[in-house]
Amino acid sequence: MRPLIEMHVRDVPFHLPLVGAYSRFGWSHPGPAQYLLLSVPYRLMAGASWSLPAATLIMNIAAVVGAWRVARSIDESAGRVVLLGPWHWWRSGIRPASEVGGTRVSV
């Protein structure tokens, strides 16, 4: 999957992708926003493959900080829930799970 994302990111300034990331169910997500955002650090790091996971980490941290700020502007305790809620669920034994090929997989 990562080589496909890098291929689309590499194409951004020359051939703008019209669809998003490929899905395992045989369709593509709408919109190339992911590729547009990842192309900036990819170009700044001279096309280094490691820049894609690093940029993804930075984008995820920015999303969590943004969610925290919005929740905190509503209520201070809501800000704590956004930051500490997933940690509390993880410690209490609630794990996300999905089915892969008919087999239940827990994280």
Side-chain angles (χ1 to χ4, degrees):
M1 187 68 175
R2 192 165 141 193
L4 291 175
I5 293 173
E6 185 171 354
M7 182 180 69
H8 284 298
V9 168
R10 193 177 298 158
D11 284 345
V12 164
F14 310 109
H15 300 55
L16 184 65
L18 299 177
V19 294
Y22 179 74
S23 174
R24 64 184 173 146
F25 300 113
W27 51 274
S28 293
H29 294 273
Q34 174 188 13
Y35 304 134
L36 295 173
L37 290 173
L38 289 175
S39 67
V40 174
Y42 185 77
R43 297 289 174 207
L44 289 174
M45 299 301 167
S49 292
W50 61 267
S51 65
L52 295 177
T56 302
L57 177 67
I58 291 168
M59 286 191 311
N60 284 316
I61 290 171
V64 169
V65 169
W68 172 74
R69 290 191 67 171
V70 168
R72 190 160 185 249
S73 70
I74 295 169
D75 184 21
E76 190 170 319
S77 62
R80 284 194 296 267
V81 169
V82 166
L83 289 180
L84 301 176
W87 173 252
H88 174 70
W89 295 328
W90 185 264
R91 277 192 12 205
S92 66
I94 299 172
R95 302 281 194 271
S98 63
E99 285 194 26
V100 178
T103 305
R104 188 165 177 85
V105 178
S106 294
V107 180

